[in-house]
């Protein structure tokens, strides 16, 4: 697996990846990135760790990053959001960028709402977006991305709520995580110029998993079996209920899984 120099040689990519910090081991790159952002780190600053000992996922979940087998990165952005755009404009970026990077090395990923990346129906990457606002102005956003590159990065089945896999495991060949990082940054650099645009939403939605399929939606109040139709411009899921009516998932919606999934 590549060390710090292999990363440095390929950076920056467009406006992203400078300054660059590499950590052989760290608690969480997102925690460190937030500290750097508070201390004034500029747009495009990038942190990568070989190992995380306290990696964080969405919803307070843990995210494991064993040494030498995964990509763990946090990117600090200070974008100007187009008027009227919602946090969803930032949320979609990470999963789209990972998907395009995986496609560039021959994979066929899908995005599980809102920003998990699946290969062969299993999760290979997750994105944790943390934004700091001053009143209605976005001060900075940290996009944290974790990719299971090698099979050794895949957590045990009992540790995860959704089946996981690795990019190498699905592709059946070795994958260079520097190559993957460069692909992710290239995609982000492109889409950052199109935040809140119809093209960005379309690129994200065309990779959305389970469209036209039955899914089980879980909310604070229970679960329901519905058909997935797509998303609204604000990123809410459009669904068809069992009685044939169209609906939009509410704020209490927590997670979804395909009805034929073998897991919870
Ligand atoms: C999820 O699917 O729950 C999101 C996982 C995000 C993990 C990445 S790894 C790099 C960055 N640092 C963290 O502590 N978390 C994110």
């Amino acid at each position: 697996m590549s060390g710090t120099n292999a990363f440095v040689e390929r950076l920056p990519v467009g406006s992203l990846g400078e300054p660059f910090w590499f950590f052989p081991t760290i608690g969480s790159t997102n925690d460190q990135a937030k500290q750097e952002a508070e201390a004034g780190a500029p747009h495009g600053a990038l942190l990568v760790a070989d190992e995380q000992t306290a990696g964080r996922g969405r919803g307070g979940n843990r995210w494991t990053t064993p040494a030498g087998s995964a990509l763990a990165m946090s990117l600090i952005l200070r974008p100007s959001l187009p008027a009227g755009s919602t946090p969803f404009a930032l949320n979609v970026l990470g999963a789209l960028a990972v998907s395009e990077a995986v496609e560039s090395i021959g994979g066929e990923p899908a995005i599980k709402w809102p920003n998990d990346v699946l290969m062969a129906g299993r999760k290979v990457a997750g994105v944790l977006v943390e934004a700091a606002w001053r009143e209605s102005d976005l001060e900075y956003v940290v996009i944290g991305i974790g990719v299971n590159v090698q099979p050794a990065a895949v957590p045990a089945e009992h540790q995860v709520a959704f089946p996981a896999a690795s990019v190498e495991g699905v592709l059946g060949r070795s994958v260079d995580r520097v190559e993957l990082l460069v692909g992710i940054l290239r995609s982000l650099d492109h889409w950052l110029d199109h935040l809140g645009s119809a093209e960005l939403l379309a690129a994200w939605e065309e990779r959305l998993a389970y469209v036209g399929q039955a899914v089980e939606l879980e909310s604070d109040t229970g679960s329901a079996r519905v058909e997935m139709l797509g998303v609204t411009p604000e990123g809410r899921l459009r669904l068809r209920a069992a009685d044939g009516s169209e609906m939009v998932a509410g704020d209490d919606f927590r997670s979804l899984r395909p009805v034929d999934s073998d897991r919870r």
Side-chain angles (χ1 to χ4, degrees), residues 28-30 52 55-58 63 72-74 116 123 126-128 144-146:
S28 155
T29 55
N30 260 40
Q52 290 186 121
R56 293 187 294 108
R58 288 192 304 118
W63 183 266
M73 59 178 280
S74 295
D116 289 345
K123 178 166 170 174
V127 182
L128 179 63
I145 298 177

Side-chain angles (χ1 to χ4, degrees), residues 73 75 147 165:
M73 59 178 280
L75 186 65
V147 186

